[in-house]
Amino acid sequence: TVELAGSTSGVLADYLWLRMTSMYGHRWTSSFGDDPRGFAGREWSSELLKFSRRQIDDALAACRRGSDGWPPSLPSFKMLCLGIPKFTTLKADIGKRSSPFSRFVWQHLDSYAFTTSDTRSAEALLKSTYDHCVELRMLGAELPLDPVGDIGHEKKIYKRQPRDVVL
């Protein structure tokens, strides 16, 4: 395997071009060129050197899972490296808040307005909060940690008393 931590931009470009070309073929090379050491390769490498090998591999895995047959742009790939899902994915997950980014958005969302608004207003509020959180994350904001567990509470079980006992 190719080690990226502390790697030069050339090693990163080679690694990325190999993976992306194998996934997207001509669509990748026609968009970004055949040579990972060319202008596009240098641009991608200089931007992606900020990310860990795990983040880049997670983004590549997200590309493999995706249904879009076209390669992502550099900003879109950076979003994948940072764990930022598409808005439609976030919209489906916001109720469960199962991903760190959806919990991040929920922290910035006016949850009262969101839950009491009509559908169109709630979606507009969620979209504007999503856009704001994307900007924050791209500027380096950290995602919240995974929850350790729920705070439990004792559930009381009430037994219905026969009518003659109550009276």
Side-chain angles (χ1 to χ4, degrees), residues 52-125:
S52 70
R53 166 72 183 261
R54 180 182 172 112
Q55 288 174 304
I56 291 171
D57 285 343
D58 287 348
L60 289 167
C63 289
R64 279 191 294 279
R65 285 189 309 272
S67 60
D68 190 4
W70 288 95
S73 64
L74 178 56
S76 295
F77 192 79
K78 286 170 55 177
M79 288 174 63
L80 293 173
C81 287
L82 291 169
I84 301 171
K86 293 180 180 178
F87 178 70
T88 54
T89 304
L90 172 85
K91 195 166 83 168
D93 184 56
I94 198 66
K96 295 177 280 191
R97 295 181 290 287
S98 60
S99 76
F101 191 77
S102 63
R103 289 190 296 276
F104 184 62
V105 169
W106 188 258
Q107 289 176 345
H108 291 85
L109 183 67
D110 180 345
S111 57
Y112 178 78
F114 178 71
T115 56
T116 58
S117 296
D118 62 88
T119 304
R120 179 178 286 166
S121 299
E123 185 168 338
L125 179 61

Side-chain angles (χ1 to χ4, degrees):
T1 63
V2 179
E3 183 58 42
L4 299 179
S7 68
T8 64
S9 63
V11 172
L12 177 57
D14 290 343
Y15 177 76
L16 187 69
W17 249 248
L18 178 68
R19 298 299 183 271
M20 293 300 229
T21 302
S22 69
M23 274 190 282
Y24 297 107
H26 176 71
R27 289 181 175 178
W28 173 261
T29 56
S30 67
S31 296
F32 302 107
D34 293 321
D35 184 7
R37 309 284 171 122
F39 181 75
R42 289 193 309 269
E43 183 66 25
W44 275 72
S45 294
S46 68
E47 286 296 313
L48 296 182
L49 279 173
K50 303 167 188 164
F51 301 108
S52 70
R53 166 72 183 261
R54 180 182 172 112
Q55 288 174 304
I56 291 171
D57 285 343
D58 287 348
L60 289 167
C63 289
R64 279 191 294 279
R65 285 189 309 272
S67 60
D68 190 4
W70 288 95
S73 64
L74 178 56
S76 295
F77 192 79
K78 286 170 55 177
M79 288 174 63
L80 293 173
C81 287
L82 291 169
I84 301 171
K86 293 180 180 178
F87 178 70
T88 54
T89 304
L90 172 85
K91 195 166 83 168
D93 184 56
I94 198 66
K96 295 177 280 191
R97 295 181 290 287
S98 60
S99 76
F101 191 77
S102 63
R103 289 190 296 276
F104 184 62
V105 169
W106 188 258
Q107 289 176 345
H108 291 85
L109 183 67
D110 180 345
S111 57
Y112 178 78
F114 178 71
T115 56
T116 58
S117 296
D118 62 88
T119 304
R120 179 178 286 166
S121 299
E123 185 168 338
L125 179 61
L126 183 61
K127 178 69 168 112
S128 67
T129 305
Y130 169 83
D131 291 343
H132 175 69
C133 289
V134 166
E135 283 184 40
L136 291 176
R137 184 72 176 122
M138 296 291 273
L139 291 171
E142 293 294 322
L143 294 177
L145 299 174
D146 290 337
V148 176
D150 291 331
I151 298 174
H153 61 83
E154 211 175 292
K155 189 172 184 179
K156 293 184 179 183
I157 300 173
Y158 295 99
K159 292 185 180 179
R160 186 171 204 145
Q161 296 293 325
R163 189 162 182 82
D164 61 331
V165 174
V166 176
L167 297 175

